[in-house]
Amino acid sequence: MNLVNRIERWGDMHHPKWIDGLRILLGLILIWKGVQFINNIDLLKAQIDEHPFLTVVSFGLAHIVVFAHLVGGLFIALGLLTRVGVIANLPILLGAVFFVNSSTNLFAVHSEMILSLVVLFLLCFFLVEGSGPISVDEYMRRHPEKVPES
């Protein structure tokens, strides 16, 4: 067994359960933001329209943001294809940090910048870490006989 496999095995055996709770919380935050964007889709499109090179695609981009937050957040919360959900949300959070929230004050009373930075950091963390032992992926790995075949 090479070094990488031994490190991965050690990490799997010593995975703290609170990290799975953090992953579930991250997924729920993304779902919550997706629902907020649905309720305020016109404001989201208006904010996208503020950038001149995005005005042509603002309608589609707003719906892509909502879809990525809802479906990616669900995947992350369940631990099902966690890295796919993270990759779907990374460009959105990068855009939120560098384009949308960069013009606002970091320590303002209603600043979304801190939440965006924390979520971006957690997305990067779970891109590396994966889903963990309390997840649908781990359940399917341990019980292959219960997984339906396509």
Side-chain angles (χ1 to χ4, degrees):
M1 191 182 309
N2 65 16
L3 180 65
V4 173
N5 287 340
R6 288 190 305 193
I7 291 172
E8 182 178 4
R9 185 168 182 255
W10 183 89
D12 289 342
M13 294 186 69
H14 296 91
H15 184 89
K17 303 293 187 237
W18 63 269
I19 292 179
D20 287 336
L22 192 62
R23 186 201 75 236
I24 293 168
L25 181 65
L26 173 65
L28 292 176
I29 287 171
L30 288 171
I31 292 170
W32 171 66
K33 288 303 287 184
V35 170
Q36 273 190 333
F37 287 148
I38 288 173
N39 291 335
N40 301 312
I41 195 78
D42 294 330
L43 292 174
L44 178 63
K45 287 190 282 189
Q47 198 165 25
I48 293 171
D49 283 338
E50 288 178 7
H51 300 283
F53 58 93
L54 293 177
T55 56
V56 176
V57 293
S58 68
F59 181 78
L61 192 59
H63 286 83
I64 289 171
V65 167
V66 169
F67 181 78
H69 275 348
L70 291 176
V71 175
L74 182 66
F75 279 9
I76 292 169
L78 293 176
L80 174 67
L81 301 172
T82 301
R83 290 186 175 104
V84 172
V86 167
I87 290 171
N89 280 291
L90 269 177
I92 296 167
L93 265 294
L94 286 170
V97 167
F98 291 114
F99 297 116
V100 177
N101 292 328
S102 63
S103 62
T104 62
N105 189 4
L106 177 63
F107 298 108
V109 175
H110 299 290
S111 175
E112 291 279 327
M113 181 68 157
I114 294 173
L115 178 64
S116 297
L117 285 172
V118 169
V119 170
L120 180 63
F121 171 76
L122 289 174
L123 285 174
C124 292
F125 176 76
F126 285 110
L127 182 63
V128 174
E129 181 68 25
S131 55
I134 304 174
S135 65
V136 174
D137 285 340
E138 184 64 25
Y139 179 80
M140 291 182 349
R141 195 172 311 131
R142 289 183 188 228
H143 303 289
E145 69 278 356
K146 294 183 181 179
V147 177
E149 294 182 22
S150 52

